[in-house]
Amino acid sequence: MFSRESITLDRGPLAPPELKWGRGHSDIPDLNNYARFLKKRLRLWGPAHRRSVGNKIAFTFSPHDTGLSQEMLHGFYGDLKNIVRSFLKVDLPSDPVVWEYRGTNLDLVRRPLEKYLNNIAAIISVLQSPEDPLYFKLKRLFADFRKPSQMVTAELIDKRWRKNEKGLYYNALLNAALGLMAKMGAVPWTLTSLLKADLYLGLDVIPGKAAVLTCFDREGRCRAERWRSIEGRVIPCKWVEDVLDEFLREFERPWIVIHRDGDVPSSELEGLLKLRERCSVT
């Protein structure tokens, strides 16, 4: 059901769910030190879902804007391979592919991506900062080609050479590795007790820049991450429906829970309501 009125839920803190890991193991996470808990469980039991990677990992970066060299990226990739092997039990290809671009000219990324599309498993894009103006353009470009991507900053890679920041470097590297591999299907953990709905859809906007859609299934696995450029703050519902078309054929009449962050414009709400013609929507 959709409600046009705001509601307030006051249930207090929710208990953490039981998580399922590799080899059939499960337990309840320690939220007081989740990072240590996560590392220990992955080392002991491995991820809930593994994913072999046969194709190459591609890097994109601007040497001029980031101050990095290809040699530095290869060093970073070596650390990434070790992290992925240790915690996710996956062997990445020996060497990455590196595509350089200059300024805002992303044709130097688009052209090789089109040419070698079937040989690329995922893309790591190195930005000059979290506020890099190319962030959304790159995300949209990779989404258009249906390639998993992970953004990292030049500052993160630079920490590799700072002895006093090694701990921060490896924690951030693990987060980036988990984010990338989860989008590729190597899921660290899933939920022991399945959720009730078939799909959970998260919608958000960066006004004037992008709409973001993330879809999870009842196990808690990420099924899709999509980006689309927008001019205002209204999410195009036809776009949402097109993305859902990838999954709706799996179900006779699925139950979908939609969470839209922030205010929902009336025109957007009307579009989302039309989804009820094809599925149960909450």
Side-chain angles (χ1 to χ4, degrees), residues 12-273:
L14 297 176
E18 187 175 55
L19 306 180
K20 183 166 62 176
W21 307 84
R23 293 186 245 164
H25 293 281
S26 61
D27 63 0
I28 296 175
D30 175 12
L31 299 185
N32 292 319
N33 197 330
Y34 178 72
R36 184 173 64 183
F37 169 84
L38 175 68
K39 293 176 185 177
K40 184 176 180 180
R41 294 305 182 271
L42 286 175
R43 285 191 185 278
L44 282 173
W45 300 327
H49 293 277
R50 301 191 185 191
R51 163 74 154 80
S52 61
V53 182
N55 289 335
K56 291 285 190 178
I57 304 296
F59 276 84
T60 69
F61 83 118
S62 168
H64 179 268
D65 294 332
T66 62
L68 301 176
S69 65
Q70 289 205 20
E71 181 182 4
M72 297 169 78
L73 291 188
H74 279 269
F76 174 79
Y77 183 69
D79 293 339
L80 181 70
K81 285 196 303 180
N82 292 335
I83 285 279
V84 170
R85 183 184 301 115
S86 296
F87 291 102
L88 295 173
K89 318 305 180 189
V90 174
D91 288 317
L92 295 179
S94 57
D95 295 304
V97 174
V98 181
W99 297 328
E100 298 182 9
Y101 60 88
R102 293 186 295 273
T104 60
N105 181 14
L106 296 184
D107 285 342
L108 296 174
V109 174
R110 181 185 297 275
R111 284 198 294 266
L113 183 54
E114 289 177 336
K115 184 176 181 179
Y116 301 108
L117 184 63
N118 294 329
N119 298 320
I120 300 299
I123 302 164
I124 299 173
S125 193
V126 184
L127 307 175
Q128 57 180 316
S129 73
E131 292 76 35
D132 193 316
L134 291 180
Y135 180 97
F136 300 108
K137 291 182 179 180
L138 286 164
K139 271 291 188 182
R140 174 66 189 275
L141 174 62
F142 304 145
D144 286 345
F145 285 98
R146 304 290 176 87
K147 288 298 176 183
S149 65
Q150 182 67 36
M151 305 308 208
V152 299
T153 62
E155 182 183 10
L156 166 61
I157 297 176
D158 194 48
K159 289 181 188 296
R160 185 174 188 266
W161 287 269
R162 303 177 191 170
K163 291 183 178 180
N164 62 332
E165 296 192 65
K166 282 286 189 179
L168 294 174
Y169 169 71
Y170 281 108
N171 282 335
L173 180 62
L174 176 59
N175 286 336
L178 291 175
L180 178 67
M181 296 305 297
K183 295 167 190 172
M184 296 172 65
V187 183
W189 50 258
T190 57
L191 299 173
T192 301
S193 298
L194 297 181
L195 299 171
K196 293 183 178 180
D198 297 298
L199 296 171
Y200 292 79
L201 203 65
L203 300 173
D204 198 4
V205 296
I206 298 91
K209 293 184 178 179
V212 186
L213 179 154
T214 309
C215 182
F216 289 85
D217 63 19
R218 63 196 326 176
E219 274 193 288
R221 292 187 297 173
C222 182
R223 298 292 298 274
E225 181 192 54
R226 299 286 187 269
W227 293 68
R228 178 193 171 106
S229 301
I230 59 173
E231 294 184 358
R233 63 186 187 90
V234 178
I235 297 176
C237 292
K238 181 61 169 62
W239 170 65
V240 175
E241 188 173 0
D242 288 344
V243 175
L244 284 176
D245 276 340
E246 300 174 30
F247 310 107
L248 292 183
R249 61 178 65 96
E250 299 178 22
F251 310 96
E252 183 174 345
R253 184 173 174 81
W255 176 13
I256 300 176
V257 173
I258 299 177
H259 173 78
R260 167 61 155 93
D261 199 22
D263 296 331
V264 184
S266 58
S267 60
E268 185 180 312
L269 179 59
E270 295 302 325
L272 293 174
L273 284 169

